């Protein structure tokens, strides 16, 4: 999971995906300077009608690289699920390793993506295409 989470080096997140880290109280695992920027972008009374986005990677948002792990070490990731990688010594150490070893991460990421390609697609009543990604139909 640590390797595949590095895919968050590219992409965006809607405010509704991370405002729980900003309000009502600031999540102590979020960098206060980033939080101040995000609070300007994402008001506490956010609605789906106005749901701005922010880049998942604060360092190199348009490049698939190990910048995600640098953000992680600096507490500059948006999603709670990403920051939770730092709560276990095993996943935290692996994240720190990839922070300083972009080539090792890229190699393992490529292999992980190939292995994921072998996962069978669920069809018919065995699977579900979500109408809203954040909730079950």
């Amino acid at each position: 999971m640590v390797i595949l989470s590095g895919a968050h080096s590219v992409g965006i997140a809607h405010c509704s995906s991370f405002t729980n880290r900003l309000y009502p109280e600031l999540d102590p695992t979020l960098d206060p300077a980033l939080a101040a920027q995000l609070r300007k972008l994402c008001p506490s009374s956010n609605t789906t009608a106005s749901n701005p986005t922010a880049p998942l990677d604060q360092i190199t948002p348009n490049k698939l690289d190990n910048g995600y792990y640098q953000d992680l070490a600096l507490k500059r990731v948006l999603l709670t699920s990403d920051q939770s990688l730092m709560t276990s010594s095993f996943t935290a150490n692996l994240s720190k390793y990839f922070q300083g070893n972009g080539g090792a991460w890229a190699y393992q990421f490529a292999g992980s993506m190939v292995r994921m390609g072998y996962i069978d697609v669920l069809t018919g009543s065995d699977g579900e295409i979500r109408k809203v990604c954040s909730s079950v139909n």
Side-chain angles (χ1 to χ4, degrees):
M1 200 49 150
V2 173
I3 295 165
L4 292 173
S5 292
H8 285 174
S9 179
V10 293
I12 57 173
H14 286 273
C15 288
S16 60
S17 300
F18 58 84
T19 51
N20 63 307
R21 299 190 72 202
L22 303 172
Y23 306 103
E25 293 179 19
L26 180 61
D27 181 334
T29 66
L30 182 61
D31 173 59
L34 177 61
Q37 293 173 1
L38 294 173
R39 281 183 167 173
K40 290 177 185 173
L41 177 67
C42 308
S44 61
S45 58
N46 199 12
T47 65
T48 54
S50 172
N51 195 4
T53 60
L56 288 168
D57 182 338
Q58 308 305 308
I59 297 170
T60 53
N62 298 314
K63 183 178 177 187
L64 184 60
D65 62 8
N66 66 331
Y68 164 84
Y69 299 101
Q70 296 169 34
D71 282 336
L72 189 58
L74 297 170
K75 300 181 178 183
R76 295 183 60 82
V77 292
L78 302 182
L79 306 176
T80 305
S81 59
D82 288 337
Q83 194 62 50
S84 69
L85 292 176
M86 299 306 279
T87 60
S88 153
S89 61
F90 177 77
T91 57
N93 286 334
L94 194 52
S95 297
K96 289 173 188 171
Y97 173 73
F98 289 135
Q99 176 189 355
N101 297 283
W105 170 77
Y107 179 80
Q108 291 195 29
F109 180 76
S112 295
M113 291 299 289
V114 168
R115 285 189 296 280
M116 268 192 10
Y118 290 111
I119 298 172
D120 289 333
V121 175
L122 298 177
T123 60
S125 61
D126 292 332
E128 166 180 271
I129 297 175
R130 292 185 176 187
K131 294 175 183 168
V132 177
C133 293
S134 60
S135 63
V136 177
N137 294 340

